[in-house]
Amino acid sequence: MNFLDNSAIISYKNKTSPQNLEIHPSVISRTKRVLDIIGALIGLIITIIIAIPIAIAIKLEDAGPVFYSQIRCGLYGKTFRIWKFRSMIVNADQQKHLVFNQAKGHIFKNENDPRITRVGRWLRRTSLDEFPQFWNVLKGEMSLVGTRPPTPDEVIQYQESHRQRLSVKPGITGEWQVRGRSRITDFEQIVSMDLKYQQKWSCFYDIYLILQTVAVVLARKGAY
């Protein structure tokens, strides 16, 4: 991960503050929050059940930590620490500059990223690596459904048209997860999907996207 100058982060947060972004209805929806809490509790129960076999598999491949955390930007650009089951080698962030970025724009993707472990590749294809994020949902930092949570070094490069995607909470799933997952390599396409989600949003649409996500994950479509 590229660490940013504190003054740069503060400047960006000022631009994406509630005063500069219109409050989206999903942010103040009590029904959405109730759905998030119920979904997070169910997800955390599943996470506890699968954590032991996943931990054993990770440890058998290398001696690194089971969990991986990274700073991401959430609602209005506020930073938080996201959690996942580790799918890459130890110190993968420090080796990022050695890997070719196949994506276009302010995102990073490589279909054959050598930093991903064998266990990690399986975790990503099944989306099991994402399950610890239910803790972020329970804390209110994320939602079950929302926009893709970007890193600070991505958002610091945002143009005016990109900042609107930060007016809703980031989600474990969303339009990008249902429409292509890792196969979507154009940042502008992700932004377009995020903004369409904001336009279409309703609690019923969130439930629809959750059901669609389950179908896509079970079919193992679009992930690497």
Side-chain angles (χ1 to χ4, degrees):
M1 172 180 167
N2 296 326
F3 292 95
L4 302 174
D5 181 84
N6 285 337
S7 62
I9 294 178
I10 292 171
S11 174
Y12 186 82
K13 284 183 178 179
N14 288 337
K15 292 180 182 178
T16 54
S17 67
Q19 290 76 23
N20 294 308
L21 284 176
E22 184 177 340
I23 297 177
H24 192 269
S26 66
V27 176
I28 56 177
S29 171
R30 293 184 179 181
T31 304
K32 181 176 175 69
R33 181 57 185 152
V34 169
L35 287 173
D36 281 347
I37 292 173
I38 293 173
L41 290 174
I42 294 172
L44 286 172
I45 291 173
I46 298 174
T47 304
I48 292 171
I49 295 172
I50 65 176
I52 293 178
I54 288 177
I56 292 173
I58 291 173
K59 287 293 186 179
L60 285 176
E61 185 164 8
D62 64 45
V66 173
F67 295 98
Y68 167 81
S69 69
Q70 188 182 44
I71 299 299
R72 296 291 183 99
C73 292
L75 182 64
Y76 306 132
K78 181 179 180 181
T79 55
F80 69 99
R81 185 170 294 277
I82 199 172
W83 290 92
K84 296 184 178 185
F85 286 118
R86 184 171 61 87
S87 61
M88 287 188 171
I89 60 174
V90 177
N91 298 322
D93 288 337
Q94 284 69 41
Q95 299 183 35
K96 182 177 178 180
H97 66 285
L98 301 175
V99 182
F100 175 70
N101 184 12
Q102 297 175 334
K104 178 182 178 182
H106 309 315
I107 53 173
F108 186 93
K109 292 180 183 290
N110 185 295
E111 185 172 359
N112 299 302
D113 195 325
R115 300 172 300 162
I116 303 175
T117 64
R118 287 178 298 172
V119 172
R121 198 164 293 279
W122 175 75
L123 289 174
R124 289 186 173 209
R125 284 175 178 165
T126 57
S127 290
L128 291 176
D129 63 316
E130 309 279 356
F131 271 63
Q133 292 174 36
F134 284 112
W135 176 243
N136 294 114
V137 175
L138 188 63
K139 291 173 66 179
E141 298 164 333
M142 293 180 65
S143 177
L144 294 178
V145 184
T147 57
R148 174 188 167 274
T151 59
D153 58 336
E154 291 173 3
V155 299
I156 202 68
Q157 303 177 66
Y158 278 10
Q159 299 173 14
E160 185 70 27
S161 59
H162 302 147
R163 290 207 293 267
Q164 187 61 37
R165 68 192 301 267
L166 298 175
S167 63
V168 301
K169 287 183 181 180
I172 293 180
T173 189
E175 291 280 352
W176 86 96
Q177 183 83 336
V178 171
R179 312 299 176 198
R181 302 174 79 187
S182 297
R183 299 296 177 188
I184 301 174
T185 58
D186 188 334
F187 173 72
E188 295 298 337
Q189 187 178 358
I190 291 176
V191 173
S192 177
M193 287 182 172
D194 286 343
L195 297 183
K196 285 180 180 178
Y197 166 73
Q198 293 182 26
Q199 295 168 3
K200 295 180 181 178
W201 176 82
S202 72
C203 288
F204 288 110
Y205 191 60
D206 275 2
I207 294 172
Y208 167 77
L209 288 177
I210 291 170
L211 294 176
Q212 288 290 102
T213 299
V214 173
V216 168
V217 170
L218 290 177
R220 300 188 183 184
K221 293 181 179 179
Y224 56 76

